[in-house]
Amino acid sequence: MPEEAAHAPRTPLAARKETPPAPLPEPFVAELRARLGERFTQNPAVCAQHGHDESHFPDAPPQAVAFVTSAAEVQALVRAAAQHRVPLIPFAAGSSLEGHVLAPLGGVAVDFTQMNRILAIEPENMLATVEPGVTRTQLNAALKETGLFFPIDPGADATIGGMTATRASGTNAVRYGTMRENVLAIDAVLANGEPIHTGTKARKSSAGYDLTRLLVGSEGTLALFTAITVRLHPLPEAVAAAVCPFPTIGAAVHTVIAAIQMGVPLARVEFLDERAVAAINRYSHTEYPETPTLFFEFHGSESAVAEQIELVKTLAEEANGGPFLWANRPEERTRLWAARHKAYFACLALRPGCRGTTTDVCVPIARLAEAVEAARRLIDASGFIAPILGHVGDGNFHTLILVNPDDPDEIARAEALNEAIVTAALALEGTCTGEHGIGLGKKAFLRQEAGETAVAAMRAVKQALDPLGILNPGKIFE
Amino acid sequence: MPEEAAHAPRTPLAARKETPPAPLPEPFVAELRARLGERFTQNPAVCAQHGHDESHFPDAPPQAVAFVTSAAEVQALVRAAAQHRVPLIPFAAGSSLEGHVLAPLGGVAVDFTQMNRILAIEPENMLATVEPGVTRTQLNAALKETGLFFPIDPGADATIGGMTATRASGTNAVRYGTMRENVLAIDAVLANGEPIHTGTKARKSSAGYDLTRLLVGSEGTLALFTAITVRLHPLPEAVAAAVCPFPTIGAAVHTVIAAIQMGVPLARVEFLDERAVAAINRYSHTEYPETPTLFFEFHGSESAVAEQIELVKTLAEEANGGPFLWANRPEERTRLWAARHKAYFACLALRPGCRGTTTDVCVPIARLAEAVEAARRLIDASGFIAPILGHVGDGNFHTLILVNPDDPDEIARAEALNEAIVTAALALEGTCTGEHGIGLGKKAFLRQEAGETAVAAMRAVKQALDPLGILNPGKIFE
């Protein structure tokens, strides 16, 4: 979700770790120095920069950082790490909300930000192949002349590698799918140092196990990506965006449910409760009515967009929503969505010095009103400031619980609130995470959601592909 | 692809097997008899019925058939099979084109046709949960009053279990996706007898490894399914279908490529070469011009459909295609698509007594004309009758090579033709199978396509989840 990085040093490693990891083996360090030169560093400041993300977890810096520039370097690094049993933690934008890039067991952060070349754009095949460090805005800038775009847009300017690793989505997923649907092929290095290519450039395939989908969402625990082929989509002929206020949370959410059930191909539909709208107004200097609100975007031909608007307006009016505030010019739409994408930092600004604990549940579409209303009751009972916002066309919403990171009691109460919201969503047959991943923070929720047998099967796959446990250890599973 | 079963006994097991499998262990047979009664049988006629599918492979009957009726029975069967190292081969419609249901290593066919209950239809969540033996037409009949439908339509009236196992698609995939996109959750029994539930009813999730997508397309080699939750889609407000002739293969295919690149949301676009059209005309008593042809279907609102038609007509005319023959009334559309779905048997009827070897390549969309034209040149050089037809909106097409199953030389030449078509598609960065799976026949192609490292990773997953190798052995891998 975060739009920009705003890092400040937080809890030092020593404060949270019982036993610091053993120093990196000398031959390993020597090998990597010889191979990468100054791009392998144990500089404490650089390590500290790689020891936190946008989550509320205490800092956990790696023992070294390797700035890789090629698949061959990634291979050499993995082989050395396997030989010396050194954990490798992939790192790029550092915008994870679940502690994915932290190094609680020590090891080497593999920094992919220099592997940021766009390897191929094939407009005629509607796909692009990029290195993992390419960001989503970088890719879209490169697509400018093609009439195509890459739709997946987590709030942060995340990298395609990180987005693949967490099975990310964003505001467009209701129409264009998530990384699950939009990654076609992956080049990666397995834990044994072998390069692997999964998938093809064809849109579909029944050729053996779906290794591409196995790697999408694997959070750096099964392989390190070196190139990713993604689907592109034609820019719509017409686009319309609008903001629509509603009297209640239920009225807004029921409008979305009805539109989805009627098959309206909404491109984006974002819910914000009154606190989130107020935060945006303060942060982005907008003047939206501070009430439960939907941000809509419609894509299609001129007439298709007009039809969608007509239908959605009728549904909104039936729920006593409106009036629609239209953003007709491109710059108005940009302002509207920039405000939405900055919502994470807008909400953080409601409580200076705080950190965010973000819930990320996703429920079947008809249970969405229940889930959001349950979350709101739990928040109100907790006393926390916790705006609600999310990609409600998918059944996915976030609550951003604002916590004082230096108050263990408050953190514990925030975790209890998070757990209560997740438990409510699971009772509605949903998932504990729609798009942020498990990371460090949701391991217990994964067991609760998937059950011990499913988690055991995941572990068996992990054990089969990374028997030494060197790839991002401590994430997804204990 | 096949629309109906038309089985006749073919090559007996003994003719092709060097060493017949050892008899089933007595205690295993006794346990299953006690548990399933007459639903566990070693009757040779019943075994023979379970020894072939719609592929050209010689019959390979199992040593017994277990007609299961519940997840508990599947569990008991798997536990007994694990204890006694007995292969289990899932079976339902028997419409595989790649030998998936054959028992070349002996073992027990697990017949799911009696597990055909629709467990839940949730129109408000736009999903249904079914037992694996439910067929696609059975599910759609049950959805009649809901305004929703299940779009995936391989030619055969396949079961949802079989379609999940092969990652099937069909004529609607260009708009609605394949089983990969439409399976949300799976209940299954692992090779150790443990029940597992993967996925949730939420549309998206980032909760751990994507076990659902790992099981979709696993061809019965990782788990036996006991329930499957699929997405449903709203019936479109308006539907229009048409048949459009073209002067050349290239003209037809380039029309499709242009439409896809422009983002026209085609619901169906099927290509048939002149031989396939001629076969359909004879078999289904239609009178389509016998030239390369596209069958189109458009879904949307009245005006959206009108717009799509206008655009596609313009593209077709630019390629010297047309005139469009419209099927406006529902019964005309049904006749049109019934003719298309019966194409497999229509083509088989071109050469009485023959069997079909079906190629199933899928290429990136812009390479489609090259791939189809290359296939056509290879066919013409081979001397075989081999109509070309397929789901070209996905880049997927089939050639149906008509072979005399009793002529080993002809079979060898058909296999060489198949291999040449696959090699051409792989050179265009495509896949050897868009929707039929690997089964017995494409194991070498999988290695060629994915590479040894990827196949080794698949094997490692197989070994992790089925260490005894009891689930559908001999499929996907040697």
mmCIF file of all heavy atoms in Angstrom, chain A residues 74 102 126 138 357 428 470:
data_model
loop_
_atom_site.group_PDB
_atom_site.id
_atom_site.type_symbol
_atom_site.label_atom_id
_atom_site.label_comp_id
_atom_site.label_asym_id
_atom_site.label_seq_id
_atom_site.Cartn_x
_atom_site.Cartn_y
_atom_site.Cartn_z
ATOM 1 N N VAL A 74 23.337 -14.176 -9.282
ATOM 2 C CA VAL A 74 22.373 -14.780 -8.348
ATOM 3 C C VAL A 74 22.710 -16.258 -8.163
ATOM 4 O O VAL A 74 22.734 -16.779 -7.038
ATOM 5 C CB VAL A 74 20.926 -14.603 -8.845
ATOM 6 C CG1 VAL A 74 19.946 -15.328 -7.923
ATOM 7 C CG2 VAL A 74 20.564 -13.116 -8.943
ATOM 8 N N LEU A 102 12.745 -8.778 6.163
ATOM 9 C CA LEU A 102 13.542 -8.762 7.390
ATOM 10 C C LEU A 102 14.399 -10.021 7.482
ATOM 11 O O LEU A 102 14.080 -11.038 6.871
ATOM 12 C CB LEU A 102 12.625 -8.656 8.611
ATOM 13 C CG LEU A 102 12.245 -7.230 9.032
ATOM 14 C CD1 LEU A 102 11.636 -6.435 7.888
ATOM 15 C CD2 LEU A 102 11.282 -7.262 10.214
ATOM 16 N N MET A 126 1.347 -8.890 -26.435
ATOM 17 C CA MET A 126 0.758 -8.322 -25.239
ATOM 18 C C MET A 126 1.437 -8.846 -23.976
ATOM 19 O O MET A 126 0.780 -9.272 -23.040
ATOM 20 C CB MET A 126 -0.741 -8.577 -25.220
ATOM 21 C CG MET A 126 -1.403 -7.969 -26.462
ATOM 22 S SD MET A 126 -3.043 -8.571 -26.790
ATOM 23 C CE MET A 126 -3.946 -7.709 -25.546
ATOM 24 N N GLN A 138 7.853 2.104 -13.496
ATOM 25 C CA GLN A 138 8.895 2.057 -14.531
ATOM 26 C C GLN A 138 8.398 1.279 -15.745
ATOM 27 O O GLN A 138 8.581 1.712 -16.891
ATOM 28 C CB GLN A 138 10.138 1.381 -13.931
ATOM 29 C CG GLN A 138 11.330 1.284 -14.876
ATOM 30 C CD GLN A 138 12.418 0.363 -14.304
ATOM 31 O OE1 GLN A 138 12.365 -0.053 -13.138
ATOM 32 N NE2 GLN A 138 13.386 0.040 -15.142
ATOM 33 N N THR A 357 -0.322 -1.419 11.563
ATOM 34 C CA THR A 357 -0.566 -2.860 11.449
ATOM 35 C C THR A 357 -1.747 -2.988 10.513
ATOM 36 O O THR A 357 -2.834 -2.499 10.817
ATOM 37 C CB THR A 357 -0.910 -3.477 12.816
ATOM 38 O OG1 THR A 357 0.268 -3.482 13.608
ATOM 39 C CG2 THR A 357 -1.418 -4.898 12.670
ATOM 40 N N LEU A 428 -16.375 -16.398 7.749
ATOM 41 C CA LEU A 428 -17.183 -16.119 6.552
ATOM 42 C C LEU A 428 -16.581 -16.799 5.315
ATOM 43 O O LEU A 428 -16.909 -16.449 4.180
ATOM 44 C CB LEU A 428 -17.272 -14.602 6.333
ATOM 45 C CG LEU A 428 -17.969 -13.822 7.455
ATOM 46 C CD1 LEU A 428 -17.787 -12.319 7.260
ATOM 47 C CD2 LEU A 428 -19.442 -14.180 7.524
ATOM 48 N N ILE A 470 17.685 -22.400 3.041
ATOM 49 C CA ILE A 470 18.457 -21.152 2.955
ATOM 50 C C ILE A 470 17.649 -19.986 2.381
ATOM 51 O O ILE A 470 18.049 -18.839 2.502
ATOM 52 C CB ILE A 470 19.743 -21.315 2.103
ATOM 53 C CG1 ILE A 470 19.412 -21.789 0.677
ATOM 54 C CG2 ILE A 470 20.731 -22.244 2.784
ATOM 55 C CD1 ILE A 470 20.597 -21.716 -0.274
#
